């Protein structure tokens, strides 16, 4: 891989001189530390924390002074970081070069990873429908050039991926512009969501993952795989014991293929524990992890030690089998809601929309059959108290030749609404849609 892949900004990233001074301090009984501006341990208010889990089990977490102090370890609270690394290796068969660090949520990690690899104006390849927050608050804000890659039910189409790269390369050679932005180079990064993709719900099959990795090797492109829905794979209309748990999950990761160190995998505790922890983890080559740690440490002085210690204690308390039981329970909750949503759609909207049968995630992606663009439908639904996500929000390429590209899709989220609200909402939605025929 090329040696000059870092962005101009990230070439200046360091851990800072203060951390270097601290790391060089000899440790021993005779060492007297007079260098750091750390609060005194006796000033900390918390002595212990007790957590009552979903099954009434109690986990007591001794609140040691280090858990209330600044997080000196830029890679995360070591018990949790080690758990994340071992867990990722067991679930996805990582290569030996990969290392793991704890992150302050996947959203923050995405911001740091793109800052590491991209300069303003650089091109990034993205699934044609994707996580809208990433487009609005990272790609557009940082003035990256987004290139939408066409998808089908199995995700990114490899032939289309290569066609767009070749088109970009040709534009560079010919000095032309693409979507009004001068094409400066071959795209440096591909961003994708491999499992239960947001918003479409599709997952990348094995042969397609291999094709995508081969293309990225050919053109020397980094791959950011953002996989928050990995644990939310489920079996519809099945018992809790029939859910995948951990052992039955299908990995759609490109990490097992990553012989070059070009994959950066982002996992999240938000979807399978709770978003309030604001925690995730990143897995990549050692040199990438070191650079990410530099920036996260410089921005935050290390992550939230209390959140990390609580999650680490839960993982230790559960062990593999306890965590698997918890994940199965969660998968059953999602499975029931997904099945109810599917049955309601089949009952009320079979002639109004098309959809895929969900196998994971929080959403159903509907293609409306009798309208070319869902914007007016979205407005009508909202006026009558039914809130959905219009597909154009997730559309990477929204305009072409100055005109908005029609989008006939809407996204329904079934994860948070009650069973009654889902049934009633879909029935009301069908009535409103019929008025647009």
């Amino acid at each position: 891989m090329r040696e000059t892949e870092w962005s101009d900004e990230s070439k200046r990233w360091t851990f800072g001189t203060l951390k270097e001074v601290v790391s060089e301090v000899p440790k021993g009984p005779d060492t007297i530390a007079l260098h750091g501006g750390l609060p005194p341990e006796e000033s900390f208010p918390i002595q212990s924390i007790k957590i009552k889990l979903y099954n009434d089990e109690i986990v007591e977490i001794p609140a040691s002074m280090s858990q209330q102090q600044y997080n000196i370890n830029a890679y995360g609270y070591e018990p949790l970081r080690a758990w994340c690394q071992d867990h990722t290796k067991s679930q996805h068969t990582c290569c030996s070069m990969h290392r793991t660090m704890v992150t302050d949520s996947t959203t923050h990690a995405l911001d740091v990873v793109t800052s590491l690899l991209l300069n303003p104006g650089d091109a990034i390849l993205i699934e044609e429908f994707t996580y809208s927050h990433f487009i609005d608050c990272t790609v557009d804000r940082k003035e990256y050039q987004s290139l939408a890659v066409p998808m089908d039910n199995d995700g990114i189409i490899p032939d289309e991926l290569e066609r767009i790269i070749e088109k970009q390369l040709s534009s560079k050679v010919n000095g032309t512009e693409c979507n009004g932005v001068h094409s400066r180079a071959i795209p440096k990064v591909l961003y994708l969501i491999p499992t239960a993709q947001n918003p479409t719900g599709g997952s990348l099959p094995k042969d397609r993952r291999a094709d995508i990795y081969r293309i990225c090797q050919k053109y020397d492109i980094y791959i950011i795989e953002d996989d928050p829905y990995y644990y939310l794979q489920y079996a519809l209309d099945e018992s809790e014991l029939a859910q995948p748990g951990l052992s039955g999950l299908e990995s759609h990761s490109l990490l097992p293929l990553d012989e070059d160190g070009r994959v950066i995998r982002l996992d999240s505790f938000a979807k399978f524990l709770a978003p309030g922890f604001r925690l995730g983890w990143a897995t990549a080559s050692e040199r990438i992890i070191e650079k990410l740690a530099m920036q996260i440490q410089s921005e935050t002085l290390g992550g939230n030690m209390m959140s990390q210690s609580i999650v680490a204690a839960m993982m230790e308390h559960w062990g593999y089998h306890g965590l698997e039981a918890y994940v199965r329970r969660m998968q059953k909750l999602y499975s029931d809601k997904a099945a109810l949503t599917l049955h309601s759609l089949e009952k009320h909207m079979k002639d109004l929309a098309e959809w895929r049968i969900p196998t994971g995630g929080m959403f159903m992606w509907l293609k409306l059959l009798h309208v070319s663009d869902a914007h007016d439908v979205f407005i009508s639904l909202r006026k009558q108290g039914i809130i959905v996500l219009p597909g154009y929000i997730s559309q990477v390429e929204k305009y072409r030749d100055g005109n908005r590209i029609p989008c006939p899709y809407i996204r329904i989220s079934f994860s948070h609404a009650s069973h009654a609200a889902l049934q009633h909402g879909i029935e009301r939605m069908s009535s409103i849609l019929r008025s647009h025929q």
Side-chain angles (χ1 to χ4, degrees), residues 119-140:
N119 291 308
D122 282 345
I124 177 171
L125 297 149
I126 309 174
E127 295 154 311
E128 65 176 321
F129 296 100
T130 193
Y131 174 41
S132 61
H133 187 85
F134 177 64
I135 296 296
D136 297 339
C137 300
T138 297
V139 175
D140 291 348

Side-chain angles (χ1 to χ4, degrees), residues 6-22:
W6 307 137
S7 69
D8 294 340
E9 175 194 345
S10 64
K11 289 173 185 174
R12 299 188 294 271
W13 291 355
T14 70
F15 282 116
T17 53
L18 177 60
K19 181 172 177 58
E20 291 175 3
V21 168
V22 172

Side-chain angles (χ1 to χ4, degrees), residues 294-312:
M294 286 179 184
Q295 184 63 1
I296 289 176
Q297 197 271 341
S298 71
E299 290 183 351
T300 68
L301 287 179
N304 185 317
M305 287 285 281
M306 293 301 289
S307 283
Q308 292 185 41
S309 63
I310 289 170
V311 172

Side-chain angles (χ1 to χ4, degrees), residues 24 60 89 102 124 155 232 278 321 324 327 354 356 389:
E24 293 170 0
E60 184 164 358
K89 184 179 294 186
V102 181
I124 177 171
L232 302 189
R278 306 313 300 141
H321 295 296
E324 179 156 61
V327 169
E354 295 176 346
R356 72 167 72 235
L389 188 79

Side-chain angles (χ1 to χ4, degrees), residues 29-40:
D30 297 328
T31 299
I32 299 175
L34 301 176
H35 59 283
L38 306 179

